[in-house]
Every structure is written in C-alpha cells, then in structure tokens.
Amino acid sequence: MRVGVLTGGGDAPGLNCVIRAVVRKGVTEYGFELVGFRDGWKGPLTSSTMPLDIAAVRGILPRGGTILGSSRTNPSKVEGGIETIKTNLADLGVDALVVIGGEDTLGVAARFSAEGISVVGVPKTIDNDLAATDSTFGFDTAVQIATDAIDRLHTTAESHKRVLVLEVMGRHAGWIALSAGMAGGANIILIPETPFDMAQVAEWVDRRFERGYAPIIVIAEGAVPKQGEMVIKDASKDAFGHVRLSGIGDWLARELEERTGHEARTTVLGYVQRGGTPTSRDRVLATRFGIHAVDAVHEGDFGKMVALRGTDIVRVPIADAIAELKTVPPELYAEAATFFG
Ligand code: F6P
C-alpha cells in the first residue's frame, strides 16, 4: 500500500513526531511505502513529493517544525483544485492519505473523504481549539514557552514598577493565555471568550500597585474589550478566510497608561510559541497519534481522525471533529479569576 502524508496550516511542535511514528510503524509493521507531500495541500496539488522512508525520519523526534513543510493552501479555492488532487493521487499510486492539521486542513480532508478518497486525520494546533479531542499536540509546548516568558517578565516588571502586558496566540480561543497565565501567576488574564471591561482591568492594575507589586497581564490575541472591537494586524484574509490577529496587547498598554498613569509595555510572543523542540508531553501525544493513525489506515477505517479522550486514543469522524471550536468554559475562567487584581 502507498500512503501519503502531509502537514498543513500553522506548524506546531510535534509534527515531526507524528511523521516519524507513521513511517516507523507503517514500514516495519505493515510494509507500507510512504510518500511525503510537501507544503500542506500544495503538495498533492502540484505533485510535489519527497521520499519518506525510515532513514528520512531518523533524528527528527526532538525537532520543531515539519520536515514536510506546511502551508495554508486551500485547494477548494483553487480552480479545479479538488479534481487536480484526485488525479495526482491516482497518478502517483497513492492509496490513502494521512493528513496532519487543524480545523482548516482537516476541513479539506473531510471534503476529500466525502468524495471517496481514503483519508485519516491527525489533529494539530497550538491553539488547542479542536472540540473532538481533549488536547492537541503543540499546545503544551506553546504554554511552556509562554510560562517561561511570564516568569521572566515578573522580575523586570518589579524592577521598573511597570505594567507588563504579554500577548499570546490562540486565535479565537483563550487556552494558551489561560494556561500560561495560571502557571506563571499572571495578575490578569484576558481571553476571547469573555470580553473584558477596561474600567475593571484598570482597577485591578491600580490595586496591584497599591499592594506594592507590578502587574503582569496575559492577553490572548483574539481578546476583545466590551466597549470596542477586535484588533487585527492585517484585514486581508488567508485562503481559509482568516484575518491576522495581534495588536490588542499594544492597545491595552496604551489604554492602561491613559487610565492609570502607570507606565505600560507590551511583549508580543508571536511565533516563538510555535518554534523549537516539543515538550516531552507533546512528543508522546504526537507519537501516539501517529501510531493510531497508521493503524486506522491498516484497518481501512477511513474518514476518521484520531483523538485523545482521557488517556485513550479514539477515532472520530473527521467531519464531526471540525464541526465546532473548543473554547474556554466560563467555570474554568472563573477559577483563574481567583488571582486577578
Ligand atoms: O493556529 C495557530 C496560529 O499560530 C494562531 O495562534 C495564530 O493566530 C495563527 O496561527 C497565525 O497564523 P499564520 O501562521 O498564518 O500567521
């Protein structure tokens, strides 16, 4: 059997662990021949491939990024894109595809599955916002990186008696902000799920200074003030219709300076959260996803995505997996709020 593998969307630490597991088990246990498609859906669209044998995956377990490359190419937006991919897969003799991606990449996988292509999905995103799985790999690494940043910001905030704002990624979900904020002891955490009240944030900041400490605020890039709008960096949309977020951290710092008279600075953590070596937790999760994805291919259980439920890896229909976003529940945010101000 010839099995194609691709990684699409924003990269996440752990992608290489999945690729390695798929190849290692696929070759040694099932005798599959694996072929790597380069740069997400662009690979099958242009028949851009690379050999994926055991030698190709040697030493990649701790490496961030993806040896296959990634892109946000959306074949549904390319004229004749879907048909071209079907033809290319047939010409290359590819019998099945393992698609590693987030909501967008898996959305395309669901479409191919509905059209009879044999696809197995693997969920990936640092944002942790896929509803069908308890967790995605890449998230733990992103949270650890953001937590390390908060630890460092505490000392410089104290030295200068400044408000320090840390803007983190996560798109329209506050998981990274919430988890890193709790782990790093942030004084205020602002997430997209709960629009924030500027007057309340300013009051928390004042209260923190009154007690002789400098406040650290963690804000998710998709957070919105109650009396305002989402700040975007670039209104132009990518192939999946997403605008580029970022900028709310700067907006908040300026607003706080005006309201409280305290100096405020912003750190935008950005792509650092997606780079570098995965944590051991992400390596294990990604490896298990890879093993179970190749098992699904072997069993011919297509149209499914592997997912984490508790400590088990299960299979769910890809279409269900992308049906809704997983956002931070109010009860969890309320727990974090114990430490605000
Ligand atoms: O989905 C992962 C993510 O890093 C988001 O947190 C962020 O908003 C987005 O991707 C950035 O997208 P791009 O890589 O296209 O700039």
Side-chain angles (χ1 to χ4, degrees), residues 10 72 125-127 169-171 221 238 244-245 271 274:
R72 293 198 188 274
T125 168
I126 63 163
D127 304 339
M169 283 183 162
R171 207 160 249 162
E221 61 181 1
D238 68 18
R244 279 176 72 204
L245 299 176
Y271 296 92
R274 274 170 34 183

Side-chain angles (χ1 to χ4, degrees), residues 250-332:
D250 275 329
W251 181 90
L252 179 67
R254 279 197 308 274
E255 196 71 19
L256 281 173
E257 282 194 338
E258 263 176 41
R259 286 181 185 242
T260 69
H262 291 288
E263 244 188 338
R265 297 278 195 276
T266 302
T267 302
V268 179
L269 209 48
Y271 296 92
V272 171
Q273 291 158 99
R274 274 170 34 183
T277 189
T279 58
S280 51
R281 189 190 171 94
D282 276 339
R283 292 184 202 188
V284 171
L285 179 60
T287 298
R288 293 186 71 205
F289 277 166
I291 290 168
H292 285 262
V294 83
D295 286 348
V297 172
H298 173 67
E299 290 166 29
D301 194 8
F302 297 115
K304 299 286 174 59
M305 182 191 88
V306 292
L308 181 71
R309 289 278 164 81
T311 54
D312 296 332
I313 307 288
V314 299
R315 293 175 200 160
V316 295
I318 301 179
D320 294 0
I322 52 166
E324 58 174 319
L325 275 191
K326 180 178 66 190
T327 51
V328 174
E331 318 81 70
L332 199 50

Side-chain angles (χ1 to χ4, degrees), residues 41 44 46 86 194 248 268:
W41 286 112
T46 58
K86 282 167 130 182
T194 308
I248 188 69
V268 179

Side-chain angles (χ1 to χ4, degrees), residues 99-327:
V99 175
I100 312 164
E103 186 202 355
D104 300 330
T105 307
L106 293 173
V108 177
R111 166 126 194 231
F112 277 113
S113 174
E115 299 208 16
I117 302 284
S118 302
V119 184
V120 171
V122 177
K124 156 263 37 158
T125 168
I126 63 163
D127 304 339
N128 197 34
D129 59 355
L130 287 176
T133 180
D134 287 355
S135 191
T136 49
F137 64 85
F139 171 62
D140 188 59
T141 307
V143 169
Q144 188 57 56
I145 292 166
T147 304
D148 291 344
I150 299 168
D151 288 348
R152 289 176 187 278
L153 290 176
H154 273 295
T155 60
T156 172
E158 293 301 339
S159 306
H160 291 271
K161 309 282 178 290
R162 280 174 177 157
V163 183
L164 286 187
V165 175
L166 178 70
E167 182 190 291
V168 297
M169 283 183 162
R171 207 160 249 162
H172 303 295
W175 293 106
I176 299 177
L178 183 90
S179 307
M182 282 181 91
N187 310 112
I188 303 167
I189 302 170
L190 304 174
I191 60 173
E193 292 83 346
T194 308
F196 60 89
D197 179 3
M198 250 337 288
Q200 168 75 86
V201 175
E203 192 196 313
W204 280 329
V205 163
D206 281 334
R207 215 197 295 166
R208 179 82 178 163
F209 276 116
E210 276 160 23
R211 291 205 308 271
Y213 296 104
I216 304 282
I217 306 176
V218 177
I219 185 163
E221 61 181 1
V224 209
K226 260 185 195 158
Q227 312 80 354
E229 286 175 8
M230 185 174 298
V231 178
I232 52 175
K233 193 164 197 161
D234 184 349
S236 62
K237 295 187 173 160
D238 68 18
F240 288 94
H242 303 296
V243 290
R244 279 176 72 204
L245 299 176
S246 184
I248 188 69
D250 275 329
W251 181 90
L252 179 67
R254 279 197 308 274
E255 196 71 19
L256 281 173
E257 282 194 338
E258 263 176 41
R259 286 181 185 242
T260 69
H262 291 288
E263 244 188 338
R265 297 278 195 276
T266 302
T267 302
V268 179
L269 209 48
Y271 296 92
V272 171
Q273 291 158 99
R274 274 170 34 183
T277 189
T279 58
S280 51
R281 189 190 171 94
D282 276 339
R283 292 184 202 188
V284 171
L285 179 60
T287 298
R288 293 186 71 205
F289 277 166
I291 290 168
H292 285 262
V294 83
D295 286 348
V297 172
H298 173 67
E299 290 166 29
D301 194 8
F302 297 115
K304 299 286 174 59
M305 182 191 88
V306 292
L308 181 71
R309 289 278 164 81
T311 54
D312 296 332
I313 307 288
V314 299
R315 293 175 200 160
V316 295
I318 301 179
D320 294 0
I322 52 166
E324 58 174 319
L325 275 191
K326 180 178 66 190
T327 51

